[in-house]
């Protein structure tokens, strides 16, 4: 059921254009990432009718508790100054619950996990490091990660100077495959 990467990326660009055309007010006034993500998800649903498009969805059929989680090496988190104080005494692999911004998938299975998106506004000064680590984990099965999304995308939308412009950073198999940042 999964689409080609090229088709998926093309539809994501189409969705971004619809977002900018129909919901520019959110971008122009630098409103919340959650509201922008929600509107993008609505556009994606029209272009991916055979999939579920969800925001902040944390379900995972392979976990005993049914919740989405990823495992990241403790050294990677420490090197990027993202290790939490309560994680210092844990093993070399850190397991964290996650709530991805947008998912294009089929609920209750992982074999049709097509696209996972983390959204950032240009006005958000928070580091993108953790988002990139999550996208790498979402798209690979290292360290027991079983989500195996076909593509991960960090979308940065400009809400400050050149409002409405956007950039993608694409991930596949745990690595960056394209970056137009």
């Amino acid at each position: 059921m999964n689409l080609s990467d090229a088709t998926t990326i093309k539809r994501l660009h189409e969705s971004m254009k619809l977002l900018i055309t129909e919901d520019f007010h959110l971008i122009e006034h630098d409103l919340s990432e959650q509201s922008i993500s929600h509107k993008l998800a609505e556009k994606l649903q029209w272009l991916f009718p055979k999939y579920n498009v969800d925001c902040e969805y944390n379900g995972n059929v392979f976990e005993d508790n049914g919740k989405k989680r990823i495992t990241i090496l403790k050294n990677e988190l420490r090197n990027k100054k993202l290790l939490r104080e309560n994680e210092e005494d844990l093993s070399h692999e850190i397991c964290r619950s996650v709530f991805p911004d947008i998912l294009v998938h089929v609920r209750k299975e992982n074999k049709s996990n097509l696209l996972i998106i983390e959204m950032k506004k240009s006005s958000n000064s928070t580091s993108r490091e953790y988002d990139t680590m999550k996208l790498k984990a979402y798209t690979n099965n290292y360290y027991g990660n079983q989500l195996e999304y076909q593509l991960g995308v960090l979308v940065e939308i400009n809400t400050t100077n050149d409002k409405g412009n956007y950039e993608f950073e694409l991930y596949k198999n745990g690595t960056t495959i394209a970056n137009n940042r």
Side-chain angles (χ1 to χ4, degrees), residues 17-25 43:
K17 289 175 186 170
L18 287 169
L19 171 74
I20 293 162
T21 301
E22 297 174 6
D23 297 295
F24 189 71
H25 172 81
K43 310 315 181 216

Side-chain angles (χ1 to χ4, degrees), residues 65-81:
N65 68 0
K67 304 293 186 210
K68 197 175 286 329
R69 67 160 185 84
I70 57 172
T71 302
I72 301 174
L73 291 178
K74 183 162 74 173
N75 283 341
E76 288 181 38
L77 291 166
R78 184 182 291 118
N79 291 342
K80 298 190 186 300
K81 298 183 179 11

Side-chain angles (χ1 to χ4, degrees), residues 4 32 41 53 72 82 96-97 107 130 132 135 142 171 181:
S4 72
S32 76
V53 178
I72 301 174
L82 296 169
R96 288 186 177 173
S97 295
R107 292 185 200 123
Y130 188 50
T132 61
L135 287 162
Y142 304 142
Y171 294 84
R181 299 183 80 208

Side-chain angles (χ1 to χ4, degrees), residues 129-162:
E129 293 285 346
Y130 188 50
D131 289 307
T132 61
M133 292 175 83
K134 289 189 296 184
L135 287 162
K136 288 176 183 179
Y138 295 147
T139 60
N140 75 50
N141 59 2
Y142 304 142
Y143 320 119
N145 293 319
Q146 299 175 332
L147 301 173
E148 299 183 35
Y149 279 84
Q150 183 176 319
L151 283 175
V153 182
L154 175 62
V155 175
E156 184 167 327
I157 189 156
N158 197 326
T159 57
T160 52
N161 298 327
D162 201 5

Side-chain angles (χ1 to χ4, degrees), residues 9 16 19 36 57 63 133 172 177:
I9 294 164
M16 289 298 296
L19 171 74
I36 295 170
Y57 182 83
E63 290 298 323
M133 292 175 83
K172 187 172 182 77
I177 59 169

Side-chain angles (χ1 to χ4, degrees), residues 58-69 97-99:
N58 68 331
N60 182 5
V61 296
F62 288 120
E63 290 298 323
D64 291 337
N65 68 0
K67 304 293 186 210
K68 197 175 286 329
R69 67 160 185 84
S97 295
V98 288
F99 304 85

